[in-house]
PDB file of all heavy atoms in Angstrom:
ATOM      1  N   ASP B 110     -22.699 -13.639-102.489  1.00  0.00           N
ATOM      2  CA  ASP B 110     -22.706 -12.801-103.700  1.00  0.00           C
ATOM      3  C   ASP B 110     -21.380 -12.880-104.443  1.00  0.00           C
ATOM      4  O   ASP B 110     -21.338 -12.972-105.665  1.00  0.00           O
ATOM      5  CB  ASP B 110     -22.985 -11.328-103.341  1.00  0.00           C
ATOM      6  CG  ASP B 110     -24.412 -11.128-102.861  1.00  0.00           C
ATOM      7  OD1 ASP B 110     -25.251 -12.020-103.102  1.00  0.00           O
ATOM      8  OD2 ASP B 110     -24.681 -10.080-102.220  1.00  0.00           O
ATOM      9  N   ASN B 111     -20.285 -12.787-103.692  1.00  0.00           N
ATOM     10  CA  ASN B 111     -18.961 -12.787-104.315  1.00  0.00           C
ATOM     11  C   ASN B 111     -17.937 -13.244-103.270  1.00  0.00           C
ATOM     12  O   ASN B 111     -17.386 -12.425-102.517  1.00  0.00           O
ATOM     13  CB  ASN B 111     -18.629 -11.383-104.840  1.00  0.00           C
ATOM     14  CG  ASN B 111     -17.304 -11.363-105.596  1.00  0.00           C
ATOM     15  OD1 ASN B 111     -16.450 -12.246-105.408  1.00  0.00           O
ATOM     16  ND2 ASN B 111     -17.122 -10.357-106.435  1.00  0.00           N
ATOM     17  N   ALA B 112     -17.697 -14.539-103.230  1.00  0.00           N
ATOM     18  CA  ALA B 112     -16.848 -15.099-102.171  1.00  0.00           C
ATOM     19  C   ALA B 112     -15.414 -14.576-102.262  1.00  0.00           C
ATOM     20  O   ALA B 112     -14.782 -14.287-101.243  1.00  0.00           O
ATOM     21  CB  ALA B 112     -16.856 -16.623-102.260  1.00  0.00           C
ATOM     22  N   THR B 113     -14.908 -14.448-103.481  1.00  0.00           N
ATOM     23  CA  THR B 113     -13.522 -13.997-103.659  1.00  0.00           C
ATOM     24  C   THR B 113     -13.331 -12.649-102.983  1.00  0.00           C
ATOM     25  O   THR B 113     -12.356 -12.426-102.252  1.00  0.00           O
ATOM     26  CB  THR B 113     -13.187 -13.879-105.164  1.00  0.00           C
ATOM     27  OG1 THR B 113     -13.615 -15.081-105.807  1.00  0.00           O
ATOM     28  CG2 THR B 113     -11.706 -13.693-105.384  1.00  0.00           C
ATOM     29  N   SER B 114     -14.275 -11.751-103.230  1.00  0.00           N
ATOM     30  CA  SER B 114     -14.156 -10.408-102.674  1.00  0.00           C
ATOM     31  C   SER B 114     -14.431 -10.407-101.160  1.00  0.00           C
ATOM     32  O   SER B 114     -13.728  -9.746-100.397  1.00  0.00           O
ATOM     33  CB  SER B 114     -15.110  -9.499-103.458  1.00  0.00           C
ATOM     34  OG  SER B 114     -15.719  -8.579-102.662  1.00  0.00           O
ATOM     35  N   ALA B 115     -15.416 -11.175-100.703  1.00  0.00           N
ATOM     36  CA  ALA B 115     -15.746 -11.202 -99.266  1.00  0.00           C
ATOM     37  C   ALA B 115     -14.570 -11.719 -98.438  1.00  0.00           C
ATOM     38  O   ALA B 115     -14.285 -11.205 -97.346  1.00  0.00           O
ATOM     39  CB  ALA B 115     -16.983 -12.072 -99.034  1.00  0.00           C
ATOM     40  N   ILE B 116     -13.871 -12.708 -98.965  1.00  0.00           N
ATOM     41  CA  ILE B 116     -12.781 -13.309 -98.198  1.00  0.00           C
ATOM     42  C   ILE B 116     -11.587 -12.359 -98.096  1.00  0.00           C
ATOM     43  O   ILE B 116     -10.824 -12.417 -97.125  1.00  0.00           O
ATOM     44  CB  ILE B 116     -12.409 -14.688 -98.807  1.00  0.00           C
ATOM     45  CG1 ILE B 116     -13.524 -15.673 -98.450  1.00  0.00           C
ATOM     46  CG2 ILE B 116     -11.078 -15.207 -98.281  1.00  0.00           C
ATOM     47  CD1 ILE B 116     -13.491 -16.973 -99.188  1.00  0.00           C
ATOM     48  N   LYS B 117     -11.470 -11.463 -99.060  1.00  0.00           N
ATOM     49  CA  LYS B 117     -10.380 -10.471 -98.987  1.00  0.00           C
ATOM     50  C   LYS B 117     -10.492  -9.627 -97.722  1.00  0.00           C
ATOM     51  O   LYS B 117      -9.493  -9.141 -97.200  1.00  0.00           O
ATOM     52  CB  LYS B 117     -10.396  -9.570-100.226  1.00  0.00           C
ATOM     53  CG  LYS B 117      -9.749 -10.228-101.428  1.00  0.00           C
ATOM     54  CD  LYS B 117      -9.661  -9.276-102.597  1.00  0.00           C
ATOM     55  CE  LYS B 117      -9.170 -10.049-103.832  1.00  0.00           C
ATOM     56  NZ  LYS B 117      -9.538  -9.408-105.071  1.00  0.00           N
ATOM     57  N   GLU B 118     -11.727  -9.463 -97.221  1.00  0.00           N
ATOM     58  CA  GLU B 118     -11.926  -8.682 -95.988  1.00  0.00           C
ATOM     59  C   GLU B 118     -11.164  -9.290 -94.816  1.00  0.00           C
ATOM     60  O   GLU B 118     -10.825  -8.601 -93.862  1.00  0.00           O
ATOM     61  CB  GLU B 118     -13.415  -8.650 -95.599  1.00  0.00           C
ATOM     62  CG  GLU B 118     -14.319  -7.994 -96.601  1.00  0.00           C
ATOM     63  CD  GLU B 118     -15.795  -8.218 -96.241  1.00  0.00           C
ATOM     64  OE1 GLU B 118     -16.106  -8.428 -95.050  1.00  0.00           O
ATOM     65  OE2 GLU B 118     -16.627  -8.176 -97.154  1.00  0.00           O
ATOM     66  N   LEU B 119     -10.936 -10.597 -94.872  1.00  0.00           N
ATOM     67  CA  LEU B 119     -10.314 -11.268 -93.725  1.00  0.00           C
ATOM     68  C   LEU B 119      -8.789 -11.178 -93.750  1.00  0.00           C
ATOM     69  O   LEU B 119      -8.119 -11.622 -92.818  1.00  0.00           O
ATOM     70  CB  LEU B 119     -10.760 -12.739 -93.672  1.00  0.00           C
ATOM     71  CG  LEU B 119     -12.272 -12.915 -93.588  1.00  0.00           C
ATOM     72  CD1 LEU B 119     -12.652 -14.379 -93.650  1.00  0.00           C
ATOM     73  CD2 LEU B 119     -12.823 -12.299 -92.312  1.00  0.00           C
ATOM     74  N   ASP B 120      -8.269 -10.591 -94.832  1.00  0.00           N
ATOM     75  CA  ASP B 120      -6.842 -10.264 -94.894  1.00  0.00           C
ATOM     76  C   ASP B 120      -5.921 -11.472 -94.726  1.00  0.00           C
ATOM     77  O   ASP B 120      -4.909 -11.395 -94.038  1.00  0.00           O
ATOM     78  CB  ASP B 120      -6.518  -9.211 -93.801  1.00  0.00           C
ATOM     79  CG  ASP B 120      -5.285  -8.404 -94.184  1.00  0.00           C
ATOM     80  OD1 ASP B 120      -5.003  -8.325 -95.392  1.00  0.00           O
ATOM     81  OD2 ASP B 120      -4.614  -7.884 -93.274  1.00  0.00           O
ATOM     82  N   TYR B 121      -6.306 -12.588 -95.335  1.00  0.00           N
ATOM     83  CA  TYR B 121      -5.399 -13.737 -95.322  1.00  0.00           C
ATOM     84  C   TYR B 121      -4.313 -13.489 -96.352  1.00  0.00           C
ATOM     85  O   TYR B 121      -4.608 -13.030 -97.449  1.00  0.00           O
ATOM     86  CB  TYR B 121      -6.136 -15.028 -95.724  1.00  0.00           C
ATOM     87  CG  TYR B 121      -7.156 -15.503 -94.725  1.00  0.00           C
ATOM     88  CD1 TYR B 121      -8.420 -15.885 -95.137  1.00  0.00           C
ATOM     89  CD2 TYR B 121      -6.843 -15.597 -93.376  1.00  0.00           C
ATOM     90  CE1 TYR B 121      -9.366 -16.345 -94.229  1.00  0.00           C
ATOM     91  CE2 TYR B 121      -7.775 -16.053 -92.466  1.00  0.00           C
ATOM     92  CZ  TYR B 121      -9.036 -16.422 -92.893  1.00  0.00           C
ATOM     93  OH  TYR B 121      -9.958 -16.878 -92.003  1.00  0.00           O
ATOM     94  N   HIS B 122      -3.086 -13.850 -96.017  1.00  0.00           N
ATOM     95  CA  HIS B 122      -2.069 -13.731 -97.057  1.00  0.00           C
ATOM     96  C   HIS B 122      -2.100 -15.008 -97.886  1.00  0.00           C
ATOM     97  O   HIS B 122      -2.646 -16.033 -97.495  1.00  0.00           O
ATOM     98  CB  HIS B 122      -0.683 -13.445 -96.472  1.00  0.00           C
ATOM     99  CG  HIS B 122       0.015 -14.636 -95.898  1.00  0.00           C
ATOM    100  ND1 HIS B 122       0.712 -15.529 -96.676  1.00  0.00           N
ATOM    101  CD2 HIS B 122       0.102 -15.102 -94.630  1.00  0.00           C
ATOM    102  CE1 HIS B 122       1.206 -16.466 -95.911  1.00  0.00           C
ATOM    103  NE2 HIS B 122       0.841 -16.251 -94.674  1.00  0.00           N
TER     104      HIS B 122
END
Side-chain angles (χ1 to χ4, degrees):
Chain B
D110 291 343
N111 185 338
T113 312
S114 142
I116 287 168
K117 280 185 187 157
E118 298 170 26
L119 302 176
D120 205 24
Y121 292 133
H122 78 82

